[in-house]
Amino acid sequence: MTEVNTPPRVGGWTRFVTARPRLSLLVALVLTALAVLAGSDVADRLGAGGWEDPAAESTYATKALEREFPGSQPNLLLLLDAGGASVDDPAVAAEAERLTERLSGERGVTGVGSYWQSGAPALRAEDGHEALIAARITGDEKTAGETLERLAPHFRGSHGPVEVAIGGPVAVRHEMQTIIQEDLTRAELIALPVTLVLLVMVFGSAVAALLPLGIGIVAILGTNAILRGLTELTDVSVFAINLTTALGLGLAIDYALFIVRRFREELSTGAEPLTAIGTTLRTAGRTVLFSALTVAVSLAAMLVFPQYFLRSFAYAGIAVVLLAAAAALILLPAALILLGHRINALDLRRLFRRGHRPEPAGQQGRAWARTARLVMRRAPFFALGTTVVLVLLGLPFLGVRFGTADDRQLPSTSESHTVQQHIREGFPGSPGGGLEVLAEGRATEAQYGAYKERIAALPGVLRVDGPLVKGDSAYFTVLPKGEAVDDAAQRLVGDLRETRAPFDTEVTGTAAVLVDSKNAIGERLPLAAVFITIVTLLLVFLLTGSVLIPIQAVVLNALSLTAMFGAVVWVFQDGHLSGLLGFTSPGSIETTLPVLMFCVAFGLSMDYGVFLLSRIKEEYDRTGDHDRAVRHGLARTGGLITAAAVILAVVMVAIGTSRVTNTKMLGLGIALAVLMDAMIVRSLLVPAVMRLTGRATWWAPGPLRRFHERFGLSEGEPERPTGETEPAREKVGASPG
């Protein structure tokens, strides 16, 4: 054929990314080195909070109290244990007074008080052997953490007749931040070698296996640098670096798997490397682009929420997704051009094959093709059966109870958890977890007294302290009868806000922050859901040109997450498997976690959905045979999607080994979601539903069809040089499954 001696025609993007491959890789290496320097201290600048709504009443009251009455909201608690003696013993009292006075003189500490000064029953354990010194460390989270590090060694431990342990919110946050950094390092040490082994098993070639790992590392380091820059502009949660690692490795490996697999497939048909790269970028490259956009859209939905905890995951997630896609579409093709056929070098599986030859490219995926035929022959059974199973697995989520993150996120052996547990179990009321009522406006002593009586008469109130008056402001401390954030405490917040007063009142405290956070999420959740749905429908329509497929994709993706939500409640709220997994169940789920997990897991599910649908669309455009296209798509991507899901699950499970419960929940929950999506939804439910909808799957009304012809992109669409026309060619490597 004359075409053999004709230089291959490639599109503009292919020419751009392959023109100077060595220069591209060198620039990437320099930029990565700069990213390492820029992001080296990112973890030290991240916050451990971010669950509150900055515009809420509780946030306003907290800031006002911190400014006017710094002693009203202690964030540092020293638990003094007198052993077998009473805390009222003269020697114990003398030592406690000395420690209180010493703490009062420390820089950055204000509002110091103790049981021995005030005699407040809430600061003395019911057994009389323990009591508290309370104080407030001033400054932002970073400054407060540094102050705690300076003070803790001088106060922790034995002091004459007492043993001192350190707790309080500032200690919980600081310990949580430290543990997350340590756990992330351990997770990376687990995930990287295991991922490399799995990639070698998938590709056989050690050379091919190293490329996805390299892309992932570039994405992670680049995102750390971006997060470091964002810390100069806004608050960023320390939890976000876990998502950076997980998505950086997981998505970069997904994208690189898809591109390298297609490149090797094209080489196996006899194509030259440049031609193979052109076909790969025209097909798998466009799929990666669409996949990255759908994942980024899901994560961007978290920007509508005011809590910086959720917004931080949007910052980190969008950055790492776009960097992973950019590296896969720019750096990876450059590396593939340089490697050429050497991409198959160092085939380690040859050691185990003992002369057995691998399947030819046209015969790969026969097991998945047989699975597709079986599912499509019994489509009603598989569609109904898998739907029922997924719904049943999600039923525990109907009993979800929302709470707030506290010391029980930490391992039971941590110091601040131990202190808070002693307070919960041994002290009356809820020291450090009460509600504060800020009163603003001039009032008489009689008016304050009448208001205090009305508060004391409310159901669920154990005791009311105050008021402490300063100018035109005052505050009351209200101790609830039960837990600091249980349902009764949350109802009490509403009762306090509705209680009549001759002055302006604002309520804050742990339960008030939780109530305001739930309200903020509830108000913005419909907006986030509509945003994800509309943009996802549009993107999938641009990829497929179908009206029905985008609707199927959204519904089936949401259905794939039911098992994750059911497991989260059954395990982390109800406490099943808590001993095996090593965590303490607080009896509730932190309010922002379901939103975060939905956005991340939905995006990852769309990632796999786009991989499958794009290959089905390519074959349908080539043959016009709907059933054949579904079988072919599953045959060519079933193994790839499963391998990608297993690798991502390994990364998420490594994150899930964290000793912090929220991180454990995030890692293990999303690992379950991606496995269910790849092995149940993509393998069984999608082909069954597409068989039931038949050729109607591809229908679109005339105006939308013309819109897609003009603006849409399909994986099989040839890419032509500017100003040049050529007849459409049959796609290389599009053999039937």
Side-chain angles (χ1 to χ4, degrees), residues 2 10 17 98 151 159 203 215 224 263 360 363 372 412 428 512 523 537 549 568 591 627 658 703 706 714 718:
T2 57
V10 295
V17 299
R98 189 186 70 80
L151 296 179
H159 293 269
F203 284 125
I215 296 298
N224 283 342
F263 178 72
Q363 300 299 318
S412 58
E523 289 172 0
L537 290 173
I549 287 179
V568 160
T591 314
D627 289 356
S658 172
R706 289 188 291 274
S714 64

Side-chain angles (χ1 to χ4, degrees), residues 535-603:
V535 181
T536 300
L537 290 173
L538 177 61
L539 289 173
V540 178
F541 171 76
L542 290 174
L543 179 66
T544 63
S546 162
V547 170
L548 189 58
I549 287 179
I551 297 173
Q552 288 179 356
V554 170
V555 173
L556 297 186
N557 275 16
L559 189 61
S560 71
L561 307 184
T562 54
M564 174 185 72
F565 285 122
V568 160
V569 170
W570 190 77
V571 175
F572 291 96
Q573 174 182 291
D574 299 341
H576 298 100
L577 306 180
S578 59
L580 177 64
L581 297 177
F583 69 92
T584 300
S585 172
S588 62
I589 301 297
E590 203 282 317
T591 314
T592 58
L593 257 293
V595 176
L596 167 63
M597 296 177 75
F598 175 84
C599 292
V600 174
F602 187 89

Side-chain angles (χ1 to χ4, degrees), residues 201-395:
M201 293 172 63
V202 172
F203 284 125
S205 162
V207 174
L210 286 170
L211 292 177
L213 205 59
I215 296 298
I217 292 172
V218 168
I220 292 170
L221 295 176
T223 303
N224 283 342
I226 291 174
L227 290 180
R228 173 61 181 82
L230 285 173
T231 61
E232 298 292 337
L233 305 174
T234 186
D235 293 320
V236 181
S237 172
V238 68
F239 289 93
I241 60 174
N242 292 289
L243 186 70
T244 297
T245 298
L247 289 187
L249 280 177
L251 288 177
I253 287 170
D254 283 359
Y255 299 156
L257 271 173
F258 206 60
I259 288 175
V260 172
R261 173 68 69 87
R262 188 61 183 255
F263 178 72
R264 296 176 81 191
E265 184 179 320
E266 297 301 324
L267 289 181
S268 70
T269 66
E272 292 300 316
L274 187 59
T275 304
I277 279 291
T279 304
T280 298
L281 290 177
R282 190 172 62 247
T283 55
R286 286 181 176 174
T287 300
V288 165
L289 179 60
F290 267 86
S291 172
L293 289 175
T294 55
V295 177
V297 163
S298 296
L299 297 171
M302 286 185 285
L303 292 174
V304 308
F305 298 99
Q307 294 92 336
Y308 87 72
F309 174 80
L310 286 175
R311 298 174 70 88
S312 298
F313 284 94
Y315 304 146
I318 293 171
V320 78
V321 167
L322 296 183
L323 284 174
L329 295 175
I330 298 174
L331 302 183
L332 189 55
L336 293 175
I337 281 292
L338 293 177
L339 288 170
H341 289 278
R342 287 174 294 178
I343 188 68
N344 298 314
L346 299 179
D347 188 351
L348 303 181
R349 292 185 302 190
R350 189 182 308 163
L351 302 173
F352 306 99
R353 281 202 288 261
R354 296 182 179 275
H356 175 69
R357 301 184 65 181
E359 288 183 302
Q363 300 299 318
Q364 290 176 359
R366 288 182 296 181
W368 286 101
R370 287 194 296 270
T371 299
R373 291 189 185 96
L374 172 63
V375 170
M376 295 173 76
R377 280 199 302 268
R378 303 284 188 270
F381 169 79
F382 281 100
L384 180 62
T386 51
T387 300
V388 169
V389 169
L390 290 172
V391 170
L392 289 176
L393 290 174
L395 287 179

Side-chain angles (χ1 to χ4, degrees), residues 91-274:
V92 173
E95 183 61 28
E97 290 285 0
R98 189 186 70 80
L99 290 171
T100 303
E101 183 179 352
R102 180 178 169 189
L103 185 60
S104 299
E106 293 287 351
R107 186 177 71 257
V109 178
T110 187
V112 180
S114 72
Y115 161 72
W116 295 272
Q117 288 180 331
S118 66
L123 299 179
R124 181 181 185 272
E126 293 175 336
D127 65 6
H129 299 307
E130 294 176 329
L132 294 170
I133 298 174
R136 182 165 190 86
I137 296 180
T138 58
D140 57 20
E141 288 183 13
K142 185 175 186 296
T143 303
E146 292 172 349
T147 302
L148 180 67
E149 285 185 340
R150 174 171 54 83
L151 296 179
H154 301 293
F155 287 88
R156 178 187 293 119
S158 297
H159 293 269
V162 298
E163 190 77 20
V164 179
I166 298 176
V170 69
V172 171
R173 283 198 303 268
H174 185 70
E175 198 163 3
M176 190 178 297
Q177 193 170 19
T178 302
I179 290 176
I180 286 175
Q181 293 179 38
E182 294 172 353
D183 290 349
L184 183 62
T185 301
R186 187 183 69 250
E188 291 171 344
L189 293 176
I190 295 172
L192 288 173
V194 175
T195 297
L196 181 59
V197 170
L198 290 174
L199 287 170
V200 169
M201 293 172 63
V202 172
F203 284 125
S205 162
V207 174
L210 286 170
L211 292 177
L213 205 59
I215 296 298
I217 292 172
V218 168
I220 292 170
L221 295 176
T223 303
N224 283 342
I226 291 174
L227 290 180
R228 173 61 181 82
L230 285 173
T231 61
E232 298 292 337
L233 305 174
T234 186
D235 293 320
V236 181
S237 172
V238 68
F239 289 93
I241 60 174
N242 292 289
L243 186 70
T244 297
T245 298
L247 289 187
L249 280 177
L251 288 177
I253 287 170
D254 283 359
Y255 299 156
L257 271 173
F258 206 60
I259 288 175
V260 172
R261 173 68 69 87
R262 188 61 183 255
F263 178 72
R264 296 176 81 191
E265 184 179 320
E266 297 301 324
L267 289 181
S268 70
T269 66
E272 292 300 316
L274 187 59

Side-chain angles (χ1 to χ4, degrees), residues 44-91:
D44 296 329
R45 301 183 63 86
L46 301 178
W51 291 282
E52 67 279 354
D53 175 6
E57 174 183 319
S58 57
T59 306
Y60 169 81
T62 297
K63 291 180 178 178
L65 286 170
E66 182 177 352
R67 182 178 61 252
E68 300 294 335
F69 304 98
S72 66
Q73 295 190 308
N75 57 11
L76 176 66
L77 298 175
L78 303 187
L79 178 68
L80 275 62
D81 185 352
S86 167
V87 294
D88 296 315
D89 182 275

